[in-house]
């Protein structure tokens, strides 16, 4: 199984500042001949289902603000929020969608400093 | 965007069974893979199972393989999760989700509590 490890477990950032969350996979998440890293990022607020932010490591989901960006390749990936807004307080998860089981990271709790 | 609505959760005794349903809106349901993901109280997301678009391929997490069965009825736009031999550690909110690149649509979840 591919193990997904996020860092840090929690993060406090001032409003307007940059927030960076890291995700490391235990092996490559490139699927077949697609040449795409099958990494997704999700945001989950209390009492709500997760929301897709990023897929294929760097493609923003529908309606996702452009302050959210994804980067990385191979086994190391990053979610960046360029200018933190109050509504971004949430838990963030990475996930690999390369091979079953489609494992999630343990989550990173993002708070306002 | 598709709307997904789960049902079938509730309180069940250890060793018991439940069947969860996930009804999808829209006529393109048959084109997409579907998944079940669970979240134990206060904990993170755990992928449970997937089924491909025509139901010919399914996979499971090790923790549920042999006890849970995923299926779908494309005529009814519904995916199911039959859960047998339930254990306390299966207690969680269960979400169904559609995958297109990533998991782009999620239901609101249904709570399954396994307790005597």
């Amino acid at each position: 199984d591919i193990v997904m490890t996020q860092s840090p477990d929690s993060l406090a950032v001032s409003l307007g500042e940059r927030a960076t969350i890291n995700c490391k996979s235990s092996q490559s998440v490139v699927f077949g001949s697609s040449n795409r890293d099958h990494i997704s990022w999700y945001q989950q607020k209390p009492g709500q289902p997760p929301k897709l932010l990023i897929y294929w490591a760097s493609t923003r989901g529908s309606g996702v603000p452009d302050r959210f960006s994804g980067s990385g390749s191979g086994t190391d990936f990053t979610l960046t929020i360029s200018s933190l807004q109050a509504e971004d307080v949430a838990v963030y998860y990475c996930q690999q969608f390369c091979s079953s089981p489609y494992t999630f990271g343990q989550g990173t709790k993002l708070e306002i400093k | 965007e598709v709307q997904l609505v789960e049902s079938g959760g509730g309180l069940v005794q250890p060793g018991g069974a439940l069947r969860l349903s996930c009804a999808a809106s829209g006529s393109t349901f048959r084109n997409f893979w579907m998944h079940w993901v669970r979240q134990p109280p206060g904990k993170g997301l755990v992928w449970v199972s997937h089924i491909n678009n025509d139901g010919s391929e399914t996979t499971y997490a090790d923790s549920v393989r042999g006890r849970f069965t995923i299926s779908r009825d494309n005529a009814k736009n519904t995916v199911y999760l039959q859960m047998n031999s339930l254990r306390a550690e299966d207690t969680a909110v269960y979400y169904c989700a559609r995958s297109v690149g990533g998991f782009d649509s999620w239901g609101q979840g249904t709570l399954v509590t396994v307790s005597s």
Side-chain angles (χ1 to χ4, degrees):
Chain A
D1 296 0
I2 299 176
V3 177
M4 306 300 291
T5 305
Q6 293 181 228
S7 62
D9 290 334
S10 63
L11 181 63
V13 174
S14 301
L15 289 173
E17 296 299 307
R18 179 185 299 262
T20 301
I21 299 171
N22 300 301
C23 178
K24 188 173 184 67
S25 59
S26 61
Q27 62 191 74
S28 170
V29 291
V30 173
F31 178 73
S33 59
S34 71
N35 207 34
R36 297 180 189 271
D37 292 288
H38 283 241
I39 288 290
S40 302
W41 289 95
Y42 302 89
Q43 175 193 66
Q44 189 179 31
K45 299 180 180 179
Q48 297 184 18
K51 174 187 175 182
L52 176 66
L53 297 176
I54 302 286
Y55 62 97
W56 296 337
S58 61
T59 301
R60 264 189 299 276
S62 175
V64 175
D66 60 7
R67 64 179 181 273
F68 291 92
S69 63
S71 62
S73 63
T75 60
D76 291 285
F77 302 92
T78 300
L79 175 70
T80 301
I81 307 172
S82 60
S83 177
L84 189 71
Q85 306 299 303
E87 61 264 32
D88 300 334
V89 169
V91 179
Y92 291 84
Y93 297 91
C94 63
Q95 181 204 22
Q96 64 83 14
F97 192 36
C98 175
S99 64
S100 180
Y102 301 116
T103 40
F104 289 89
Q106 79 275 19
T108 295
K109 186 174 184 179
L110 177 59
E111 299 173 314
I112 304 295
K113 184 186 292 184
Chain B
E1 189 173 306
V2 68
Q3 301 294 319
L4 301 173
V5 179
E6 302 96 338
S7 60
L11 174 63
V12 61
Q13 292 188 339
L18 278 178
R19 187 175 84 153
L20 306 183
S21 299
C22 171
S25 64
S27 59
T28 59
F29 175 77
R30 66 182 66 245
N31 293 341
F32 301 107
W33 287 21
M34 296 296 295
H35 304 257
W36 288 96
V37 176
R38 69 185 182 185
Q39 187 167 36
K43 297 191 176 182
L45 302 171
V46 180
W47 176 86
V48 172
S49 181
H50 109 276
I51 187 165
N52 71 344
N53 55 320
D54 66 3
S56 62
E57 175 187 304
T58 60
T59 63
Y60 299 91
D62 286 347
S63 58
V64 307
R65 187 176 296 113
R67 300 188 297 123
F68 290 11
T69 302
I70 191 171
S71 61
R72 67 190 295 161
D73 184 337
N74 285 342
K76 295 183 178 180
N77 282 7
T78 302
V79 61
Y80 304 98
L81 188 68
Q82 177 67 43
M83 305 187 296
N84 298 332
S85 303
L86 282 161
R87 307 166 180 167
E89 55 265 35
D90 296 318
T91 294
V93 173
Y94 284 73
Y95 296 101
C96 65
R98 181 184 82 166
S99 58
V100 182
F103 289 19
D104 72 328
S105 297
W106 296 70
Q108 287 298 312
T110 187
L111 176 63
V112 172
T113 303
V114 184
S115 174
S116 55

